[in-house]
Amino acid sequence: KQWYQRRVAITAGHSMSNMGSVLDDEETDRGGIEMNANARVQLMAKLASGNQMRPGGKQKTAPANEGGEADIGQKVREMLGGSNSRAASDGPSPCFVLRNMFDPKTETDPYWAEEIRSDVIGECSQLGGVVHIHIDKEDPNGCVYLKAVNGSVANACVNSLQGRWFSGKMIQASFMQTSDYSKKFEGSEYLRDRLER
C-alpha cells in the first residue's frame, strides 16, 4: 500500500519543440529558458565550434588557441564526462546523477530507498538499462548515482529524466565523469550486467 501512495507519475517538462512559444511568452519569462540536457549539449557544442558572427552577417572563425589553455570544445567534452584522450564523438559518460529524488528528513517508510531504486531502474530499463545504482540516503539533495550500460543510454536517461517530476519534486539529471564515479564507487568500472527491478 505504501508503495502505491508514494509513487507519483513522472511527467515531462518543457521540450525543445515548444521552445519558440516559451521564448516569446513574457508571462513565462523567468530570466532564462528551460532546456533539457540534450538541448544544452547542442548549445554548448555550437558555442564550442568557435564560429562568431560579425556585424553585417559575416562569420569569422575564432583564432587558434595559443595560450596553452584547453579550448572551449575540450572544456565541453570534460563537462560531459570525457577526458583529454577521448574524442567528442565518443559521446557522454555512462555515469550520471539524479538530484531531488527524495528528502531524507521526510522519509519515514523503512523501504523508501528500495522503492526509489526499483522506480529508477524501471525507468532506465526502458531506455537500455543501468549496471550500478547508489542512493545516498543521507544526502540533503536527494542524490541517486547511476552508471548506464553505455554513454548513449546514459544520454537517453538524462534527457528523459531531466525536468520530470518524482514524488512532488523536479528531477535534476546531470552527467558525472567516469573517473570521478569510479573513485566514489570503487569497482563500478568493472560492472557489465544490467540491474533488474
Side-chain angles (χ1 to χ4, degrees):
K1 266 186 177 175
Q2 285 283 2
W3 184 78
Y4 291 107
Q5 290 171 354
R6 172 174 174 72
R7 188 169 184 178
V8 176
I10 298 178
T11 57
H14 290 291
S15 69
M16 287 305 291
S17 63
N18 65 358
M19 195 53 66
S21 63
V22 172
L23 289 173
D24 297 332
D25 188 354
E26 291 180 19
E27 291 180 23
T28 60
D29 187 11
R30 293 182 298 258
I33 59 173
E34 294 180 25
M35 301 177 94
N36 65 23
N38 190 39
R40 284 192 302 275
V41 169
Q42 290 173 355
L43 175 62
M44 293 303 293
K46 190 172 184 177
L47 292 171
S49 70
N51 291 335
Q52 300 172 354
M53 290 297 289
R54 285 186 177 171
K58 295 182 181 177
Q59 282 193 353
K60 69 174 187 175
T61 304
N65 187 353
E66 297 173 9
E69 273 183 48
D71 68 8
I72 192 111
Q74 180 62 35
K75 290 178 182 177
V76 170
R77 287 188 292 278
E78 289 171 4
M79 284 175 25
L80 295 175
S83 67
N84 291 340
S85 62
R86 284 177 58 177
S89 62
D90 289 345
S93 165
C95 308
F96 60 103
V97 60
L98 304 176
R99 290 179 178 80
N100 277 342
M101 292 296 294
F102 58 89
D103 181 352
K105 294 177 188 172
T106 62
E107 299 297 341
T108 57
D109 184 333
Y111 301 106
W112 68 268
E114 288 81 6
E115 292 169 7
I116 290 174
R117 180 186 190 279
S118 177
D119 288 347
V120 171
I121 290 173
E123 282 293 315
C124 293
S125 292
Q126 296 173 28
L127 302 166
V130 294
V131 298
H132 181 259
I133 184 171
H134 175 79
I135 298 169
D136 190 340
K137 296 177 186 178
E138 306 298 320
D139 191 310
N141 295 314
C143 289
V144 177
Y145 297 89
L146 297 116
K147 181 176 181 185
V149 295
N150 60 44
S152 298
V153 171
N155 190 43
C157 291
V158 167
N159 287 336
S160 174
L161 296 171
Q162 170 63 30
R164 290 171 68 182
W165 294 86
F166 183 79
S167 258
K169 297 173 190 66
M170 184 183 285
I171 300 170
Q172 296 175 358
S174 59
F175 291 101
M176 186 172 180
Q177 287 192 5
T178 305
S179 58
D180 293 340
Y181 195 92
S182 296
K183 287 176 191 170
K184 189 168 186 70
F185 306 108
E186 222 172 282
S188 63
E189 63 270 22
Y190 304 112
L191 300 173
R192 300 286 179 258
D193 295 331
R194 287 187 178 113
L195 299 176
E196 299 294 325
R197 281 183 125 173

